[in-house]
Each structure stands twice: as C-alpha cells, then as structure tokens.
Amino acid sequence: MNYQRKTVVASMAGLTLEGMDIMFISFAMSMIVAEFHIDLATGGFISSITNIGMLLGGIIFGILADKFGRVRIFTYTVFLFAIGTALTGLATNIEQIYIFRFIAGIGAGGEYGIGMALVAEAWPKNKQGRVSSYVSVGAQIGVILAALLSAMILPILGWRALFFVGIIPVVFAFIVRKNLKESPEWLASQQEDETSLKQKEGKLRELFRTPRTTLTTLALAIMATVQIAGYNGLMIWLPSMLQKSQGLSVSSSALWTISTAIGMIIGMLTFGQFMDRLGAKRSFGIFLLASASAVFLYSFATGSAGVLIGGAIVGFFSNGMFAGYGALISRYYPVHIRSTATNTIFNFGRALGGFSPILVGYLLQNYNMMTAMIYLAALYIISFIVMLSLKQRASSSTEVAVM
C-alpha cells in the first residue's frame, strides 16, 4: 500500500471509531435519561458538551499537529477519545458523564482535522473531493457499527457495557504510529527558515489575516455549524422519537439508523464526485436545497417503508455534504496552518451546532416532530445563502481557488 492510500485508510478508520463513539450516546440516551431521571434537554446537553470538547481539542491539537507533525499528534488524539469513551461507562451521575464526554470530545476534535490535513497533503486537488468522501464514509461505517453493537449489547448488558467497547481505538493508535510516516508536504515545510516558520506556525490569527480571509473563515464556520446541527438534530433524537411515534423497538430503530447511514454513505460518495467535476459551489447548492426539502417532507412519512426510505433520502442529501468540508477548508489555507484551520473551523461548527440536540429535544417535547423538522430545514436554507457569499479567488500563498 502506497503512502496516499495509507493516509486514506488511517483517516477513514479514525473517523469510523469516532462515528461509532458519538452514536453510542444516541442509542444509550433513553437508558441514561431513565437511570439518572433527567429531561430530554438535559440529555441533549451530553452531545453538546462533547462538541464543546471537540472545539477545544481541535484548536489545541491542530496547532500541535502543525508544529510537531500530523501522525504523532493524531495518535495522541485517538488515545484520548478512547479513554474518555471507556470512562463514560463508569459514570455514576450525569455530571460525570458530562466530564468524560468532554474528555472524549477533546480527543475526537483533534483527530478530524489532522486526518483531513494528511489526505489533503497526499493527494492532488482535482481528486481531493472524492478522496475526502472516502474518508468521510468512515463516520457512517461507525454509525452502522454502533447500531449493530447497540442492538446486541444494550438489551443484554446495558448501556455501560456499550461504552467499554470504546477502548478498542487504543490498538488502532499503535498501528498508525508504527506504519504511517509524516506528511511529505509538512516535512518540506519544516525546511523553511526557522525564524520565519516560528512566526507563521499554528497562529489562529492567520484565519483572520485579511478582510477576505475573515469573511471566508466566518462563512465556512457557519456552514460547518449547520452541517453539525442538522446531523446531530437528526441522529441524536430521531431513533428515540421513532421508538415512540412509530412504535419501533430498539432493534427496529437500529434498522432505521442503518438505512439512514447507508443513504449518507451513498450521498458522500456522490458528493465527492460532484465536487471534483462540478465544483464546490454547485455541489453544495444542490445538496443544501435538496436537504431542506427532504427534511421537511420527512415529517409526513408514515409506516415502516416510508420511515426507512425517507430516512435514507434525508441521509443522502443532509450528510452527503459532510464529505466536502475537509477538502474545502484545506484548500483555503497553507500547510503551516492547515490542521489548525480545519480543526478550528469545523470544530467551531461542532461546538455551536452541538447545541442543536437541546433545541430539538425541547421542540419534540413541547411541540411535535414537524416543528423540529421545519427548524432543521431552515438551517439548510441559511447555509445555502451563506454559501453563495463564497467567491472564487486566485491562488496565493494563503488562499486558493475552491469553486
């Protein structure tokens, strides 16, 4: 296996483990709510605190990866979110769950941007869309694994045993550290004049260096926020709500999750092809408008077939775009700030968008499913409007054409 393929496999596997970890909360939520006697909004904050940890971890580990190397810091992030996940299974109250999920979030937040930087630095730009889609599929494979493990473990061993599975990524970290070398592009950047490098390396202010860069950074952060808010709003609460509204069992809701995840995987692979062939602006425009329509129409779905097919369609459009963010953000920033930029922007979206489950939980508890879906559809319209503000620009040392 050559270096390019190794970066894809390592980054994809990292997102698989991360996606599995995040979805454990979704399937265990009803049991956690019942055991600790909390309301839905309080339960939704578990996901939110995880995403706040992701923002902090993204900034810290992004800067460290730009300074000390991608692979070394990548393995540290995997260790951290594995430990945080396993500790969650030992929690005796909701406050401890918040703490352990925050720790897991710090590790997971660092992992995403570093993996995307590795891929961006290993592949030519005309293939980054589809390659990023391959990596992003890992998150949905993790969702499917979480669904299968939840269906097998929760009814027999309970929610705590589910989180103990989270220690498995430690083995993965050892394998990556042994078999993957540092990015050649990052190594080349280290040959620059030491004084010049120290002045540039891992500086957050470079994301706001000029008015144009500032507007681009803010626009990308808003788009990332909508992406995470929509995903969390759909995936954290819908399995539990479908259990109630459609009378689905845990196993049946797991089937819904698998169906939706399959739709997401196909959507990601499709989006990657769109992005490389049609450009980012057209691709995001098509998927954002289709997401708004699909999410709204899904509130009218009834019956098992309608729920499963509708879930797959919603997943296809709403999370197909996830495949494009790593490539999109990476193209705007040079190597010495790439991990910092990708982690900071996307994890800002995770932190802010992570509050969406609280609002969705409130809407579901006090209104109905249609109200929650209208809220989610409106988010995609907002992202579409913001996306239109992104302008094509000429290549430079800090910015490149992305549209």
Side-chain angles (χ1 to χ4, degrees):
M1 187 182 297
N2 62 25
Y3 180 78
Q4 287 182 321
R5 291 180 180 178
K6 284 183 179 180
T7 62
V8 173
V9 171
S11 300
M12 182 179 180
L15 273 185
T16 296
L17 296 169
E18 181 184 327
M20 180 181 71
D21 165 82
I22 291 172
M23 283 307 296
F24 281 166
I25 283 291
S26 177
F27 287 104
M29 184 69 77
S30 59
M31 290 185 176
I32 293 173
V33 167
E35 179 169 335
F36 295 120
H37 307 290
I38 57 177
D39 58 30
L40 297 182
T42 303
F45 192 65
I46 297 174
S47 176
S48 301
I49 197 69
T50 303
N51 285 304
I52 293 173
M54 286 180 174
L55 174 59
L56 179 61
I59 295 172
I60 293 173
F61 287 117
I63 292 173
L64 292 175
D66 284 329
K67 186 172 183 178
F68 297 111
R70 315 301 195 207
V71 176
R72 180 195 306 179
I73 304 303
F74 182 84
T75 56
Y76 295 161
T77 65
V78 174
F79 275 122
L80 196 57
F81 87 72
I83 291 170
T85 300
L87 287 175
T88 302
L90 300 175
T92 58
N93 54 54
I94 190 62
E95 289 77 19
Q96 289 182 8
I97 287 183
Y98 289 157
I99 293 171
F100 297 145
R101 296 309 300 162
F102 182 72
I103 293 172
I106 291 175
E111 182 270 334
Y112 172 80
I114 300 173
M116 285 300 183
L118 274 169
V119 170
E121 290 162 11
W123 291 82
K125 288 182 173 59
N126 64 347
K127 294 183 179 180
Q128 286 179 3
R130 69 196 74 178
V131 173
S132 292
S133 73
Y134 302 152
V135 174
S136 300
V137 162
Q140 300 315 309
I141 294 175
V143 170
I144 293 174
L145 288 175
L148 294 173
L149 289 169
S150 297
M152 292 186 292
I153 294 174
L154 287 177
I156 301 173
L157 301 175
W159 68 270
R160 295 179 185 278
L162 192 62
F163 288 95
F164 294 147
V165 176
I167 203 66
I168 292 176
V170 170
V171 178
F172 166 70
F174 279 112
I175 295 173
V176 170
R177 189 63 176 271
K178 182 178 180 180
N179 293 282
L180 188 62
K181 296 180 180 180
E182 289 293 352
S183 157
E185 189 173 347
W186 179 82
L187 289 172
S189 75
Q190 302 304 296
Q191 303 303 314
E192 296 184 20
D193 178 74
E194 185 177 350
T195 301
S196 174
L197 189 62
K198 286 183 177 179
Q199 289 175 347
K200 295 190 301 180
E201 200 169 55
K203 301 294 186 181
L204 283 175
R205 64 173 174 267
E206 286 203 41
L207 277 64
F208 309 95
R209 189 177 62 85
T210 66
R212 171 175 283 187
T213 305
T214 298
L215 290 174
T216 299
T217 298
L218 293 175
L220 290 170
I222 291 172
M223 292 177 67
T225 298
V226 169
Q227 182 66 34
I228 299 302
Y231 179 82
N232 283 351
L234 288 168
M235 300 302 288
I236 294 297
W237 282 122
L238 276 186
S240 296
M241 294 311 298
L242 289 172
Q243 290 176 27
K244 296 180 179 179
S245 65
Q246 299 292 327
L248 301 182
S249 64
V250 172
S251 297
S252 297
S253 65
L255 182 61
W256 171 86
T257 301
I258 293 172
S259 173
T260 304
I262 290 174
M264 290 178 177
I265 290 173
I266 298 173
M268 287 177 178
L269 296 174
T270 302
F271 188 87
Q273 296 290 332
F274 273 36
M275 189 170 178
D276 285 340
R277 298 181 183 187
L278 302 180
K281 198 165 192 174
R282 290 181 180 176
S283 301
F284 274 99
I286 292 169
F287 272 66
L288 284 168
L289 292 179
S291 295
S293 301
V295 166
F296 174 74
L297 293 174
Y298 191 55
S299 61
F300 297 97
T302 57
S304 298
V307 167
L308 291 176
I309 296 173
I313 294 173
V314 168
F316 178 92
F317 289 110
S318 67
N319 216 46
M321 296 174 291
F322 182 86
Y325 284 98
L328 181 63
I329 298 172
S330 293
R331 294 181 189 184
Y332 273 102
Y333 305 94
V335 61
H336 68 268
I337 193 69
R338 187 167 290 146
S339 285
T340 303
T342 306
N343 267 345
T344 300
I345 291 171
F346 200 78
N347 285 304
F348 173 83
R350 277 173 159 169
L352 190 57
F355 285 97
S356 183
I358 298 177
L359 181 54
V360 171
Y362 174 82
L363 293 175
L364 291 172
Q365 185 167 293
N366 294 280
Y367 296 93
N368 52 43
M369 183 173 173
M370 180 178 289
T371 303
M373 299 304 260
I374 290 174
Y375 152 74
L376 294 172
L379 289 180
Y380 292 116
I381 297 299
I382 292 172
S383 185
F384 175 79
I385 295 171
V386 170
M387 180 273 301
L388 294 177
S389 72
L390 290 173
K391 303 296 183 181
Q392 184 173 351
R393 60 206 66 214
S395 298
S396 72
S397 62
T398 57
E399 297 169 321
V400 298
V402 296
M403 295 301 170

